[in-house]
Amino acid sequence: MTHGDNDVTDGPRRTRSGRVPQWALDEYLERHQAQLRPPALHIGAPNHRLRKRPKAKTVRRRLPLGIATGVGLALITVLYVAPGALDRLLPPAASARADGPPAGVEASDSPLGMPPEGLGSDQYRLQASPDPEQSLIAFDPCRPIHYVVSGQSRLPGGDSVIREAVAEISAATGLRFIDDGETDEKSSDERSPYQPDRYGDRWAPVLIAWSSPEEIPDLTGSVAGLGGGQPHKAVDSPWVFVSGQIDLDTAQLAEVMLRPGGASAVRSVVTHELGHVLGLGHVNDPTQLMYGGANSTISLGDGDRAGLARIGRGPCVPEL
């Protein structure tokens, strides 16, 4: 089956939660090794979400933190997507934002870019909003999204994979990303989106951390990545994502990177988690990269792109 340029081809067998067990990945790579291009070509964006086998109807989540101040870090690993499970990820609405930088830092008078037009698919899902009257939470398109990368044991070739995933997401949303390079910040569930001593008087950049199960216990078994955004709001303004965090299992992804087509597999993990950072949830359509169950999709689907385009048209909020 194809959807325009978003071809859907056979991939490794998956569990109901969308995980690809190691045995399934080995089977797939052995079967298709002759057809796979060398990893250096960085083709496609396969949806290899390398996570462990689920127990029936179990949802493991790293729940939002700092609810009293209106700050939440929605980092999740879903082993089984129960109906409505993703509706409980963000904190309840607050009347004012927590301490942050001066309003309007780096804000432009108009969006810095625009997403593609004419994407009519409805096969996407936005993460639930803490305000029932606000259906969309997105990054401010009138200011850039900075990101940094951390981790002492960084994946060889990982920087290139991250840049390519960011470029793909940027093209789909029209949002502008700025690579701020390396950081010594460590991943944490208690991460503050405002760290003036480390990053200056602005919102902290999105943190992409090469990590391990020892540092991040949720990166256990075959869990390769976690991602989520940090929403804030000012008085009388909508909720807006101001930062976010992605955690990647370095050792596990390093093993995948060495296999034929491995760079594409690793890049798909980063792309999927960036989708969560920007506000996409899992969907029920197996032809989409953000599908929450077993599928064979190997690139952003038409629904993924439509959802990302909608996110790219979020409101400018200079008062935040």
Side-chain angles (χ1 to χ4, degrees):
M1 169 181 283
T2 62
H3 292 270
D5 294 332
N6 303 311
D7 291 341
V8 179
T9 65
D10 291 336
R13 288 190 285 174
R14 299 172 183 272
T15 66
R16 289 184 61 193
S17 65
R19 279 84 178 151
V20 180
Q22 190 62 52
W23 61 265
L25 182 60
D26 291 340
E27 175 189 72
Y28 171 75
L29 292 172
E30 180 178 355
R31 188 170 68 246
H32 293 280
Q33 183 170 357
Q35 288 76 34
L36 290 172
R37 301 183 188 180
L41 296 179
H42 305 297
I43 57 173
N47 184 19
H48 292 268
R49 293 162 54 208
L50 310 175
R51 299 174 181 177
K52 65 184 180 182
R53 285 178 174 270
K55 296 180 181 179
K57 297 188 179 180
T58 298
V59 177
R60 294 180 56 202
R61 287 169 289 164
R62 296 167 68 180
L63 294 175
L65 303 170
I67 291 176
T69 61
V71 183
L73 179 58
L75 300 178
I76 64 169
T77 281
V78 179
L79 298 185
Y80 177 88
V81 183
L86 297 178
D87 293 334
R88 300 189 294 274
L89 290 177
L90 297 178
S95 59
R97 69 178 174 89
D99 290 340
V105 173
E106 294 189 297
S108 174
D109 293 334
S110 60
L112 303 180
M114 292 299 294
E117 299 282 351
L119 302 176
S121 174
D122 62 357
Q123 297 304 304
Y124 65 88
R125 185 179 182 188
L126 303 174
Q127 290 184 14
S129 169
D131 182 352
E133 296 184 358
Q134 180 186 342
S135 61
L136 171 68
I137 300 181
F139 278 86
D140 183 344
C142 289
R143 65 183 91 194
I145 302 173
H146 293 260
Y147 71 94
V148 291
V149 180
S150 73
Q152 293 182 344
S153 301
R154 298 176 68 165
L155 180 68
D159 288 347
S160 177
V161 165
I162 288 174
R163 285 194 297 270
E164 291 171 2
V166 168
E168 183 174 19
I169 290 291
S170 179
T173 59
L175 297 172
R176 181 188 175 196
F177 290 79
I178 296 179
D179 182 357
D180 285 348
E182 299 183 19
T183 180
D184 60 0
E185 182 186 3
K186 295 185 181 299
S187 177
S188 170
D189 281 346
E190 303 289 343
R191 184 179 192 246
S192 172
Y194 179 52
Q195 303 178 45
D197 292 342
R198 186 187 301 274
Y199 297 115
D201 214 1
R202 61 184 174 100
W203 293 111
V206 172
L207 174 64
I208 302 176
W210 295 104
S211 192
S212 68
E214 290 71 31
E215 296 174 281
I216 306 296
D218 282 341
L219 290 175
T220 56
S222 297
V223 179
L226 303 163
Q230 291 176 281
H232 270 258
K233 76 184 300 294
V235 177
D236 298 326
S237 78
W239 283 92
V240 180
F241 285 122
V242 296
S243 189
Q245 183 172 315
I246 292 174
D247 298 304
L248 302 167
D249 187 336
T250 310
Q252 184 177 171
L253 293 178
E255 180 180 349
V256 174
M257 188 73 116
L258 295 175
R259 299 170 179 267
S264 295
V266 174
R267 183 171 62 251
S268 73
V269 173
V270 180
T271 304
H272 181 95
E273 301 308 331
L274 279 170
H276 285 316
V277 168
L278 294 186
L280 286 182
H282 290 122
V283 296
N284 295 322
D285 181 354
T287 68
Q288 309 305 320
L289 186 63
M290 301 305 296
Y291 180 56
N295 71 349
S296 58
T297 302
I298 62 170
S299 65
L300 286 174
D302 52 356
D304 300 317
R305 296 182 186 278
L308 291 169
R310 183 177 176 189
I311 285 171
R313 297 187 181 93
C316 294
V317 188
E319 62 268 29
L320 191 64

